[in-house]
Amino acid sequence: MTIAARPSEDPTDVSTQYIRDAIRDAIVDRRLAPGTKLSEADVGRLFNVSRTLVRGALQALSYEGLVNVEKNRGAFVAYPSPEEARQIFATRRLIEPGILREAAKNMGPSHFQHLRQLLMEEGRLMGERGQTARRAEIKASGDFHLMLASMTGNAVMQRFMDELVARSSLVIALYGQSAISSCGHQEHQDIVTSMERGDLDRACHLMLHHIDHIEKDLDMRENKGSDLKEAFRL
Amino acid sequence: MTIAARPSEDPTDVSTQYIRDAIRDAIVDRRLAPGTKLSEADVGRLFNVSRTLVRGALQALSYEGLVNVEKNRGAFVAYPSPEEARQIFATRRLIEPGILREAAKNMGPSHFQHLRQLLMEEGRLMGERGQTARRAEIKASGDFHLMLASMTGNAVMQRFMDELVARSSLVIALYGQSAISSCGHQEHQDIVTSMERGDLDRACHLMLHHIDHIEKDLDMRENKGSDLKEAFRL
DNA sequence: GATGATCAAATTGTATACGATCTTGTGATC
DNA sequence: GATCACAAGATCGTATACAATTTGATCATC
């Protein structure tokens, strides 16, 4: 198990929150494969912390849908079924156009500048090679959607999107075909451009297509027997 | 503190889940006032359970937004600010029309029958008098929205709605003016009728108005200083 | 009498201990 | 040799113990 503690962080003063974030990052960054067992004792040793804190972190992650806790068996990095994946994307299609409209109400030039800046970074990462750059790119791609959510000023929507984006990352990690996802960069730009022009209808339309594209790039045919999967991955 | 254990339940074999549900019910049913402190030891004594399990339950409720846990101070029944309330309803306006459309895809005659049955019950409770009937009515009103969510077959949406409905109950408990909310019964019926006719646009339209009505019936002028409120209620 | 410091009580934060459950490996039996 | 029973080990579930923090009261001081 390789849950890298953030550099320049003292491994003491570690709290539940810290562990939760570290594991979540590791999952979303695909450093922890779906199905991986997260033993309470092991994780505790990693962070020099008792099982009590680890349990808290795992419970929280379970609530976010990133981890499954099975009674008397332990916690595992979630292994979303194709059906779950469909539900996640269906929910995103339902929510994200609304987020766009809601965000647009509050957005001024500075907000657009922030978005553009994120897109620049995203584009830069696309050019680079290597696993690290790839992870950063995927993360940046999710951050785009999260930034839009944060611009609604609505904490509830923001939390929902947090969960949806994190779980989407897992799904993409599982069923993603290739680096095709990177073509999403252009779509992100188009969405921002439409918003800047005030053409919200088009922005929503593009957003829906964007989500469709992400979902279409998945290959979700495999192993329907949902529990067998874990055995193989483990 | 009066968190009634469900009748005919043995107070032994109580798990985190059970405690969580009991507290959630008590909050949503308004038997626990917003701001009430939920001391770990007290709750534990109530359920004959150690603080460990209580903490788990409180943490989960905190994630749902029904409880606020303040570091080193304890857990309190949430006291949503007017701003939070607005965000909750804004999110509902964003999500519920989509849920309607999503549910409509899967609904057959039996589903409509279930809905009608729920509405009958709701109507019956409206006629009755007393606090108990009132609570049951409010609960039934929320159940209508939850049942629609369940008919989407989408677990993610369902969970989001669970949270939104529960938090709405809290908000109504806090800022609700009178029993005007009961006029929502007719609106529920109209929504179902429109759906049955296949007029989804109208159903969505009615749903939006319905949510607006609920929000309009709130009086959220009071105490803006968000933290002071707790002090007074406590 | 009001204000501020200090100490005791209460409550939460975290670790550890112990019992319950599951997993797994061994060996007896067919 | 395959199958089943059983026991040892590992892991989780819950309770308890102790440390850290906050709260509230008492008392000294201005």
Side-chain angles (χ1 to χ4, degrees):
Chain A
M1 189 179 334
T2 53
I3 307 177
R6 291 203 185 81
S8 81
E9 277 274 3
D10 187 5
T12 49
D13 99 301
V14 180
S15 74
T16 299
Q17 178 71 15
Y18 178 85
I19 298 171
R20 183 173 83 91
D21 289 345
I23 299 181
R24 155 124 59 55
D25 284 355
I27 293 176
V28 171
D29 275 6
R30 307 160 139 208
R31 299 197 307 276
L32 277 173
T36 305
K37 167 148 193 179
L38 300 170
S39 150
E40 296 178 355
D42 287 349
V43 177
R45 265 189 293 277
L46 258 173
F47 291 96
N48 291 314
V49 137
S50 78
R51 279 177 50 216
T52 307
L53 297 188
V54 176
R55 274 182 80 82
L58 292 176
Q59 180 182 324
L61 289 167
S62 150
Y63 200 84
E64 293 182 60
L66 291 181
V67 155
N68 289 332
V69 283
E70 300 178 25
K71 187 171 167 65
N72 278 317
R73 290 208 54 244
F76 303 83
V77 178
Y79 203 120
S81 67
E83 175 56 23
E84 273 176 86
R86 269 186 286 273
Q87 294 184 0
I88 289 166
F89 284 107
T91 308
R92 290 188 64 166
R93 269 191 297 269
L94 175 53
I95 288 183
E96 296 212 46
I99 282 188
L100 232 52
R101 293 184 191 278
E102 201 71 18
K105 294 181 189 169
N106 312 321
M107 284 173 68
S110 74
H111 292 100
F112 282 109
Q113 198 183 333
H114 277 131
L115 278 174
R116 290 289 182 196
Q117 199 169 335
L118 192 68
L119 289 179
M120 289 260 300
E121 175 70 4
E122 198 181 355
R124 194 179 64 71
L125 287 165
M126 256 179 60
E128 287 191 22
R129 306 210 175 284
Q131 189 111 45
T132 312
R134 198 81 316 136
R135 281 175 183 158
E137 182 193 340
I138 291 172
K139 182 167 180 52
S141 168
D143 284 346
F144 172 75
H145 295 264
L146 291 180
M147 185 175 279
L148 279 173
S150 79
M151 288 175 179
T152 62
N154 187 320
V156 182
M157 291 185 197
Q158 215 169 322
R159 249 186 357 86
F160 286 175
M161 277 304 297
D162 267 347
E163 175 173 334
L164 288 170
V165 167
R167 296 183 71 178
S168 295
S169 280
L170 242 184
V171 169
I172 295 170
L174 259 181
Y175 302 114
Q177 306 236 51
S178 56
I180 320 182
S181 59
S182 35
C183 78
H185 176 58
Q186 184 59 50
E187 299 182 341
H188 286 176
Q189 288 193 312
D190 293 344
I191 289 169
V192 174
T193 303
S194 290
M195 290 182 77
E196 226 159 4
R197 284 191 193 133
D199 189 349
L200 273 182
D201 287 338
R202 179 166 171 74
C204 289
H205 187 76
L206 289 172
M207 177 61 89
L208 284 177
H209 270 281
H210 175 50
I211 298 173
D212 277 339
H213 278 166
I214 300 175
E215 192 172 2
K216 288 290 190 314
D217 281 344
L218 304 177
D219 178 14
M220 303 195 293
R221 287 168 306 185
E222 54 211 285
N223 18 8
K224 302 290 182 187
S226 59
D227 273 15
L228 294 174
K229 294 178 293 189
E230 294 208 353
F232 285 105
R233 283 281 169 167
L234 191 54
Chain B
M1 189 179 335
T2 53
I3 307 176
R6 290 203 186 81
S8 81
E9 277 274 4
D10 187 4
T12 49
D13 100 301
V14 181
S15 73
T16 299
Q17 178 71 18
Y18 178 84
I19 299 171
R20 184 172 82 91
D21 289 344
I23 299 180
R24 156 127 53 58
D25 283 354
I27 293 175
V28 171
D29 275 6
R30 306 160 140 211
R31 297 198 308 276
L32 278 172
T36 304
K37 167 147 193 180
L38 299 171
S39 150
E40 296 177 355
D42 288 350
V43 177
R45 265 188 294 275
L46 260 174
F47 291 96
N48 291 316
V49 137
S50 78
R51 281 177 49 215
T52 308
L53 296 187
V54 177
R55 276 181 79 83
L58 292 176
Q59 179 182 328
L61 289 167
S62 151
Y63 199 83
E64 293 182 59
L66 291 181
V67 155
N68 290 331
V69 281
E70 302 178 22
K71 187 173 167 64
N72 280 316
R73 291 209 52 244
F76 303 83
V77 178
Y79 201 118
S81 68
E83 174 58 22
E84 272 176 84
R86 271 186 285 275
Q87 294 183 0
I88 289 166
F89 284 106
T91 307
R92 290 188 63 166
R93 270 191 295 269
L94 174 54
I95 288 184
E96 296 211 47
I99 283 188
L100 232 54
R101 292 183 191 280
E102 202 71 18
K105 294 180 190 169
N106 313 323
M107 284 172 68
S110 73
H111 293 98
F112 282 109
Q113 197 182 334
H114 278 131
L115 278 174
R116 291 287 182 198
Q117 199 169 334
L118 192 66
L119 290 178
M120 290 261 299
E121 176 70 4
E122 197 181 355
R124 194 180 65 71
L125 288 165
M126 256 178 60
E128 286 190 23
R129 306 210 175 283
Q131 188 111 45
T132 312
R134 197 81 317 134
R135 282 176 183 156
E137 182 194 339
I138 291 173
K139 183 166 179 53
S141 168
D143 284 347
F144 171 75
H145 295 264
L146 291 180
M147 184 174 278
L148 279 173
S150 79
M151 289 175 179
T152 62
N154 186 321
V156 183
M157 290 185 198
Q158 215 168 321
R159 248 184 358 85
F160 287 175
M161 277 305 296
D162 268 347
E163 174 174 334
L164 288 171
V165 167
R167 295 182 72 177
S168 296
S169 282
L170 242 185
V171 168
I172 294 170
L174 259 181
Y175 302 113
Q177 306 235 50
S178 56
I180 319 183
S181 61
S182 35
C183 79
H185 177 59
Q186 184 57 50
E187 299 183 342
H188 287 175
Q189 289 194 311
D190 293 344
I191 289 169
V192 174
T193 303
S194 290
M195 290 183 77
E196 226 159 3
R197 285 193 192 131
D199 190 349
L200 272 183
D201 288 337
R202 178 165 173 74
C204 288
H205 187 76
L206 289 173
M207 177 61 91
L208 285 177
H209 271 280
H210 175 50
I211 298 173
D212 278 337
H213 280 166
I214 300 175
E215 191 172 3
K216 286 292 189 314
D217 282 343
L218 304 177
D219 176 15
M220 303 195 294
R221 287 169 304 185
E222 54 212 287
N223 19 9
K224 302 291 182 186
S226 60
D227 273 16
L228 294 173
K229 294 178 295 191
E230 292 210 353
F232 285 105
R233 282 280 169 166
L234 189 58

